[in-house]
Amino acid sequence: MAVKRTGQLSLAEAFLGQKLAGGSSPLDRLSGLVKWYRFEKLLNPLRDGGPGRAAWPPLVLFKALLLQSLYGLSDRELEEALGDRLSFRRFVGLGLEESIPDHSVLSRFRNLLVGEGLMERLFGELDRQLEKVGVILKSGTMLDATLIDAVSAPPTAERPSKDADARPVRRGKGGFTFGYKAHVGVDEGSGLIRTVITTPANVNDTVMADHLIRGDEKTVWADAAYDTHARRARLKAEGRKPRIARRPNKHHSLPERLKRYNRLIARRRAAVETTFATLKNRMKLTTIRYVGLAKAAAQVTLAAIAFNMRRWAAITG
């Protein structure tokens, strides 16, 4: 299959060079950090240009989806931004005079990524690069989870929901969320996401906890939702410190000593809230845009990849 050639400089770009490119935007700095050829090796089997058309290079489309996650854009908004913003074009590798992939191309490529199960491998590739440059500290892992609304309406007595995988869960006094839950393990100190798992919203936090622990950290930090005797004992046996807030016994309240212990843990693990604030407020990961658990997990994992790249640029900038 023919592949589109991209990144060809126009006369204006060649003449103006760095004056046009700038070279100092956050996206330019990020672009210089990542070893993109390693992602390209994973992505190259994915070719979809549609009938009678040359295929877009998968790396161009992958970078476009990263921009979508970084800025919380819909497919159509991403298409428009690629047409309007020079920094976006530079990041994905498109010259000023080149055409851009439309929203249908971007949607098909995302479906290919999901269908081939590549998201976890892409996340793992970035994790290896972060480890190699030494920005992952491994002093501790902070466990937490956050709810994300489904785009589909919840079921009613008259009709089912269009999203059969999303689930409702109580939230606060009298409220509830219908959607999914992102479970994360965040590296203490660097703030990088080391593990991410997406489930329906009604899956209890503690169910996924052991899958979030990498095994190379010295300490595990978590709130009381993750507290079990078995987990604390296992972490101690494995040589890791279990800094997990204690839950009160249903028959007895916590003694003052454990209340102070819980407050200390809460202060230390509060940094994980910065991760969720960035994902939700800056990257607008407040709604799963697509239907079904597989696509929801892909959206969350792609957001985690984009988050870690942004964080990497901030750490080294």
Side-chain angles (χ1 to χ4, degrees):
M1 178 184 291
V3 179
K4 289 179 181 288
R5 296 182 63 189
T6 61
Q8 303 300 306
L9 292 178
S10 69
L11 180 61
E13 289 169 299
F15 178 73
L16 293 174
Q18 285 298 105
K19 290 183 180 179
L20 180 64
S24 60
S25 78
L27 290 179
D28 290 321
R29 292 196 297 274
L30 171 58
S31 190
L33 287 173
V34 179
K35 289 182 170 59
W36 295 106
Y37 71 90
R38 295 188 181 275
F39 289 100
E40 195 168 24
K41 288 180 179 179
L42 295 173
L43 294 165
N44 270 342
L46 304 182
R47 303 283 188 194
D48 178 27
R53 291 179 292 180
W56 286 94
L59 186 60
V60 168
L61 300 180
F62 175 61
K63 287 182 174 182
L65 295 187
L66 289 174
L67 290 174
Q68 181 178 43
S69 291
L70 281 170
Y71 295 94
L73 305 173
S74 69
D75 289 350
R76 291 182 183 275
E77 288 170 338
L78 176 58
E79 178 186 349
E80 182 178 342
L82 286 170
D84 289 346
R85 298 182 64 170
L86 291 177
S87 61
F88 277 31
R89 282 181 170 269
R90 289 199 305 274
F91 183 76
V92 302
L94 293 173
L96 277 175
E97 297 180 353
E98 292 181 285
S99 62
I100 58 171
D102 64 28
H103 63 276
S104 63
V105 171
L106 297 165
S107 178
R108 282 201 307 273
F109 181 72
R110 184 186 305 101
N111 291 340
L112 282 173
L113 286 176
V114 173
E116 295 296 321
L118 279 179
M119 285 298 186
E120 287 189 11
R121 294 176 65 189
L122 294 166
F123 182 85
E125 171 54 40
L126 181 61
D127 187 70
R128 283 187 289 274
Q129 293 190 32
L130 293 169
E131 281 207 56
K132 189 169 184 178
V133 297
V135 293
I136 295 176
L137 303 180
K138 300 182 184 179
S139 61
T141 295
M142 301 180 289
L143 311 184
D144 213 338
T146 188
L147 295 167
I148 307 174
D149 293 324
V151 70
S152 303
T156 65
E158 293 77 27
R159 54 161 180 76
S161 172
K162 292 181 180 179
D163 192 338
D165 293 336
R167 291 290 184 273
V169 65
R170 292 188 181 278
R171 187 177 194 175
K173 295 181 179 180
F176 79 97
T177 290
F178 177 73
Y180 295 91
K181 183 179 287 187
H183 308 257
V184 300
V186 175
D187 185 52
E188 183 188 9
S190 71
L192 293 159
I193 298 172
R194 299 204 65 200
T195 46
V196 57
I197 303 170
T198 305
T199 66
N202 64 342
V203 173
N204 193 283
D205 293 2
T206 193
V207 172
M208 306 312 301
D210 295 332
H211 301 286
L212 300 174
I213 299 169
R214 290 293 295 263
D216 55 10
E217 60 274 278
K218 297 180 179 68
T219 307
V220 173
W221 300 88
D223 64 27
Y226 298 89
D227 182 36
T228 68
H229 291 291
R231 179 166 295 124
R232 282 189 268 118
R234 184 171 60 254
L235 289 170
K236 285 181 181 179
E238 293 169 348
R240 285 187 290 281
K241 297 176 183 177
R243 296 296 183 254
I244 303 173
R246 300 297 182 87
R247 278 194 292 199
N249 185 290
K250 63 181 179 180
H251 302 295
H252 304 283
S253 62
L254 286 175
E256 187 58 34
R257 174 181 60 85
L258 288 182
K259 288 180 181 179
R260 289 197 301 270
Y261 174 80
N262 283 0
R263 288 194 292 270
L264 289 171
I265 289 176
R267 285 200 292 269
R268 289 294 296 270
R269 61 169 297 280
V272 77
E273 296 301 328
T274 303
T275 301
F276 291 140
T278 300
L279 287 169
K280 291 193 164 186
N281 298 335
R282 295 188 64 180
M283 298 171 63
K284 303 177 185 177
L285 184 64
T286 55
T287 302
I288 297 297
R289 297 177 180 273
Y290 316 102
V291 174
L293 178 58
K295 290 184 179 180
Q299 182 182 340
V300 172
T301 303
L302 192 62
I305 294 171
F307 173 91
N308 279 355
M309 288 185 178
R310 180 201 289 269
R311 184 70 187 148
W312 186 5
I315 291 170
T316 58

